[in-house]
Structure formats: structure tokens, C-alpha cells
Amino acid sequence: MKKIGVLFGMENSFPGALVEHINARNIDGIQAEFVETGAVHLGKTPRYSVILDRISHDIPFYRAYLKHAALNGTIIINNPFWWSADDKFFNYSLAEKLGVAVPPTVILPHKQHPEGTTDRSMRNLEYPLDWDAVFAYIGEHGFMKPVDGGGWRDVHHIHNRDEFFKAYDQSRDLCMMFQKAVDFKEYFRCYVVGQKKVHIMPYDPRRPHAERYLQDPPAYPRSLLRRVQHDALVLCRALGYDLNTVEFAVENGVPYAIDFMNPAPDADLHSVGQANFDWIVKEVADLAIAKAKLAPNVLELRWSAFLGADPAPWKAPKSAKRKPAAKKKTSGKKAAKTLPAEA
């Protein structure tokens, strides 16, 4: 029997629905359950063929457990080695190399010395910092956020230099980034599953949390949705994520990738809504079942295995460049549909 395990924390709706959905299919030789583990024995092979990881980013014990399981043939969604090495500034750097639009971004030295370090530890650091060069590059309207964080923790919306330095002074020993604000008209949050399926969800981060997923969105240009789909796939394939959310803020028709380090993305029924919830449960179930059929897996641990050839940057299709004789209106419901993966 090949077992699919779900490793999770405080969330309720998604883990249970996923296990029920997989088991309801009655696939011979495959069963899903919640992961249960105690002390991890070095020489003992884990009993799961696949583990969906929803919590190890917060609990080092679980991360070590998953690395051990991966070494012994368990397929982990998402790969714990790559996830452990990741940070948001690297992701932005990679996106820029791949031709995906990202806002101008800088990484900043720690305001306070990290624990166990002193002034002598910082002798390679420019002092005083050239703040004028930072503002010339970014401008004064932007967002300050941790290089490795989530859930809007320690994120500051900056409008001028006074707000910048006030936020910087409050950053403690966190490593922070400063990123130019995008004056967006449209905003999308995209589920990406298996590096193949993209589900585009109109979203507005300015609304109260419970109202951010738009239930009656306007029609969007097909060419815009295709570029969003293309860039979301490019990012997740390069990052090696089988499950992720990618967020785009659209300014003057250009989708800027804002947030795409979400390997345990929000999938709560009450947050994302029934239609989006049903989609993510089904697609993750399909992915986990397909992975279980491949297990055990021989893990490639060299970083080069994660980074293949750079995909071509986005180019609008010729049909999108021609002005149509008559433009058909698309309902918001159709515009928000899942787009098929590109060939």
C-alpha cells in the first residue's frame, strides 16, 4: 500500500478535504492519511510514499524529518532542500534573469547586528550607506518587507523617507528589502500545481481579508491572462515548486510578479471561497496520486538539477498585436477560469 501523508498545522478545511477526496476515489494500492511521527530514527525508512508539506517552514523538526524522508525515497511536495535554500530576494533576482517583470528591489543590511555579531563582523559593509542611491533607484513610495517572511509580518507601506527610516529602525535584526510600489489596476493571485496547471484568481490586497478574492471580477484582456499564466509557470518551474501561489500586480498592462515564495499557500475554504477551494483540492489530489505512483523516488541533490535551461521571455502572440475588427466581451466568470498549460 502506498500512503500519501499530509503534514499540517493549525489549518482545518484543506487537509481533511484532501484526504477525503483522495480516499473517495478508491484507487487500488493508494491511501491518504494525516502524517504521524515521533522521534525519527536514522536508519528507519519512512512509511509514506508522498508527503504534502504544509507546516515545516515553521517547525525545524518537521523540516529535518522531511529531508530524511526525501533521502529515503519519499516524494515531498514541496522539495524541502530547495525550499530551505530559498529567499525572496533570490527569487526576485531569478525572475529578472528569466525575463519576468519585477519591481526595482534592494536588499538592506540589518539595522541591528544579528545575535553573536559585533561591529567587527561588519567590516566589509559600506559605511555610511548611500541612501540617496537607494532612493534614486526605488523612489520613496514602496514596501519594506523581510527577505524571508510571510503573512504580512513586518511589512511596511512606505510613502516618504521619514516613514522609510522609521520602519527600518523597527526592523530589529531582520534582513529587509525595499521594493518600489506598483500602481496597479488589476491584481491576480494564481495557484500553480505540478508546474503545469494555473488557476488565475482576481484578487485585491487592499480589501479586508475576507473580501480579497473577487467574486464578480471584470473582463480581462486574454493576452494579459496568457502572460500571467506564462510567467507563473516560468517561475514555478525554475524554483522547482510543485505547489505555489504567484501574485501579480498589473500596471499599464504589465504584470509585475510581487510574491511567489508561497510553497504552503493559503487553501482555507473560508478564505479562498468554494470554487477556488474545490479546484485546489482536486488538482493537489491529482498531483499527489501521480507522485505516489512514481514512488519511491531517487532524489537529485545537485542544485543544477533544479535549474534547467532558461525559458524564453514572454512575447505577445501575433494575434494579440493585431487590432481585431470586433472585440468580443468576456464575462468576468470566464476570464477567471483556469487556463490550459502551454504546450
Side-chain angles (χ1 to χ4, degrees), residues 44 54 58 78 86 115 147 159 185 187 209 248 298 305:
K44 188 175 181 180
R54 304 284 295 164
D58 285 334
N78 282 290
D86 221 347
E115 186 177 357
V147 72
H159 298 88
K185 182 179 179 181
Y187 197 102
H209 187 76
F248 294 93
V298 178

Side-chain angles (χ1 to χ4, degrees), residues 111-123:
K111 173 62 180 179
Q112 297 177 5
H113 298 322
E115 186 177 357
T117 66
T118 68
D119 291 347
R120 290 176 60 83
S121 307
M122 304 299 166
R123 286 183 287 181

Side-chain angles (χ1 to χ4, degrees), residues 205-276:
R206 297 167 297 197
R207 292 188 175 194
H209 187 76
E211 302 173 10
R212 291 182 179 178
Y213 292 91
L214 305 187
Q215 300 302 311
D216 188 20
Y220 302 106
R222 190 73 177 177
S223 59
L224 173 61
L225 296 178
R226 288 199 177 278
R227 179 169 177 180
V228 166
Q229 178 204 37
H230 170 275
D231 288 356
L233 289 172
V234 165
L235 290 169
C236 291
R237 288 168 182 170
L239 291 168
Y241 290 163
D242 281 315
L243 177 59
N244 195 9
T245 50
V246 182
E247 296 185 18
F248 294 93
V250 184
E251 182 177 350
N252 296 325
V254 177
Y256 291 89
I258 298 296
D259 186 14
F260 44 99
M261 185 180 153
N262 299 296
D266 178 19
D268 181 71
L269 170 61
H270 306 290
S271 174
V272 304
Q274 190 68 56
N276 295 327

Side-chain angles (χ1 to χ4, degrees), residues 103-154:
T105 307
V106 296
I107 189 171
L108 302 171
H110 306 269
K111 173 62 180 179
Q112 297 177 5
H113 298 322
E115 186 177 357
T117 66
T118 68
D119 291 347
R120 290 176 60 83
S121 307
M122 304 299 166
R123 286 183 287 181
N124 294 103
L125 186 63
E126 175 188 76
Y127 186 82
L129 215 62
D130 189 350
W131 293 113
D132 288 336
V134 170
F135 292 116
Y137 175 51
I138 303 295
E140 296 188 11
H141 184 202
F143 287 87
M144 187 181 296
K145 49 190 174 182
V147 72
D148 188 7
W152 285 88
R153 291 188 299 270
D154 295 292

Side-chain angles (χ1 to χ4, degrees), residues 106-109 111 129 131 134-135 138-145 156-171 176-179:
V106 296
I107 189 171
L108 302 171
K111 173 62 180 179
L129 215 62
W131 293 113
V134 170
F135 292 116
I138 303 295
E140 296 188 11
H141 184 202
F143 287 87
M144 187 181 296
K145 49 190 174 182
H156 302 270
H157 190 180
I158 307 298
H159 298 88
N160 52 55
R161 294 196 184 199
D162 288 342
E163 290 182 0
F164 173 92
F165 287 112
K166 182 179 180 180
Y168 188 52
D169 289 343
Q170 295 173 4
S171 64
M176 305 294 285
M177 300 181 300
F178 186 43
Q179 184 173 77

